[in-house]
Amino acid sequence: MAVSMVPLGGVLVRTIENSSKEIDAASERGIEDLRQEIAKQELRLGFDMQQARIAQELAIAHRITNAETVEIEEFYDKSGSAQAGVGLSEGSFNLGLRGDGKSVVKRVYKFTGHSVPNIDAALPRLEEAKDQKPEDAA
């Protein structure tokens, strides 16, 4: 897929190139500079990911506002497991606990139509409204 086909593809490529150059420069200065640069880029990445989530939610909200019909399906899966164990041998006693859990949420959006009328449909209604005289409210 060409970079030009991806929204903001050029920005992404330049950001990755700059990040790589900064890492290379920091690695030449030593391990401590490299660690600092990595920490700085991880902070930047976290901020950028949060901004991307916000932009995605705003885009979805905009599409919901402009769609004629919207179907949203949500799927939730919460699961977990736990284990406990006891071990006894000559002179030793072992006790172990282990647990894990996961939560999966998936949303599927289906948009149909466009609630904003096209200009060909809106113009005749505007002309009719302009030609009508306001009724007296008396």
Side-chain angles (χ1 to χ4, degrees):
M1 180 189 308
V3 171
S4 62
M5 294 178 65
V6 177
L8 301 174
V11 173
L12 291 172
V13 168
R14 283 190 299 279
T15 301
I16 291 168
E17 287 172 350
N18 290 340
S19 174
S20 179
K21 288 175 186 175
E22 290 171 1
I23 291 288
D24 289 343
S27 68
E28 290 173 5
R29 291 189 306 265
I31 192 73
E32 192 55 40
D33 283 352
L34 180 60
R35 283 189 180 128
Q36 289 176 356
E37 184 61 36
I38 289 171
K40 185 174 29 170
Q41 288 196 19
E42 285 175 349
L43 283 172
R44 256 193 241 148
L45 177 64
F47 177 76
D48 291 345
M49 288 176 64
Q50 186 63 33
Q51 293 296 316
R53 282 188 210 104
I54 291 168
Q56 180 182 20
E57 290 299 321
L58 289 172
I60 290 169
H62 178 72
R63 184 63 178 108
I64 287 171
T65 301
N66 292 326
E68 195 169 307
T69 59
V70 179
E71 292 179 44
I72 302 174
E73 297 178 44
E74 294 183 333
F75 302 94
Y76 297 95
D77 179 26
K78 295 188 183 277
S79 61
S81 64
Q83 294 177 336
V86 176
L88 201 52
S89 62
E90 286 184 34
S92 68
F93 173 76
N94 295 321
L95 175 63
L97 297 172
R98 186 182 146 254
D100 63 10
K102 71 175 183 175
S103 175
V104 176
V105 178
K106 179 180 177 185
R107 291 187 287 177
V108 177
Y109 296 93
K110 296 178 184 175
F111 303 104
T112 308
H114 205 357
S115 67
V116 178
N118 68 24
I119 193 72
D120 294 332
L123 279 177
R125 285 188 249 152
L126 286 172
E127 291 296 324
E128 288 174 14
K130 187 175 84 172
D131 293 340
Q132 290 179 348
K133 295 180 182 178
E135 295 179 20
D136 292 331

